[in-house]
Amino acid sequence: MSEVVTFFILNQKFVDDKDAKPESQQLVYYGLAIGHHLGVIDCFKPALTCPLARYQAWLAAIPLDAARQKLAGIPKYGEIVINSSHVVMLAEGLAAMGDDVDDDILQWRDQLMDMLAMIQNEPAIHLIVRRLHE
């Protein structure tokens, strides 16, 4: 059984109530604020997966300590959340990576940068990143 790191993106929600007719944007913000108490169901989708060993090589290629430490929480704790408060720090860390790494790492960097741009444009979007056993 091998371990992988998977980035799940939350960029939509739905209400488990036929009679509810809230404005969708307000529902997203309200749902994030109060949690799962009102029948708001998160729709997480896997957006990026890489083997844990390769993920650790990716971490080693990030020169800025703050960004590397945030992402190092995955191997250490098994899960992290990335939200709008992390976008600038992570984007700066990823942008500071050299291009002398292999193509997989560059592709993962670019995919994560795209997801960070999505969060920057819509702060209600966030990522859950988990270490999983396959």
Side-chain angles (χ1 to χ4, degrees):
M1 191 178 326
S2 64
E3 287 188 291
V4 296
V5 173
T6 300
F7 289 72
F8 295 91
I9 189 164
L10 172 62
N11 61 354
Q12 73 181 67
K13 291 179 174 271
F14 71 90
V15 179
D16 190 20
D17 184 348
K18 297 178 274 209
D19 300 324
K21 295 178 181 117
E23 296 177 26
S24 62
Q25 195 60 38
Q26 290 303 315
L27 173 65
V28 171
Y29 291 127
Y30 191 63
L32 289 173
I34 65 164
H36 305 285
H37 305 293
L38 294 178
V40 178
I41 299 171
D42 294 338
C43 302
F44 284 98
K45 296 183 290 190
L48 169 64
T49 298
C50 58
L52 179 60
R54 299 289 296 129
Y55 180 80
Q56 291 176 324
W58 181 14
L59 286 179
I62 299 172
L64 300 183
D65 286 340
R68 187 175 57 254
Q69 287 175 356
K70 173 65 178 170
L71 295 172
I74 299 159
K76 187 173 184 179
Y77 304 112
E79 178 177 306
I80 64 168
V81 174
I82 298 173
N83 60 37
S84 61
S85 69
H86 306 113
V87 168
V88 172
M89 177 247 321
L90 289 174
E92 287 175 352
L94 294 171
M97 283 178 61
D99 288 333
D100 57 342
V101 294
D102 66 51
D103 289 340
D104 286 341
I105 291 174
L106 292 176
Q107 182 180 8
W108 296 329
R109 177 198 63 191
D110 293 346
Q111 286 181 271
L112 182 52
M113 289 290 272
D114 289 344
M115 288 184 271
L116 294 174
M118 290 172 63
I119 296 170
Q120 185 72 28
N121 291 330
E122 179 49 71
I125 296 172
H126 63 277
L127 305 174
I128 300 290
V129 188
R130 291 187 175 143
R131 185 183 67 224
L132 303 170
H133 299 279
E134 279 194 334

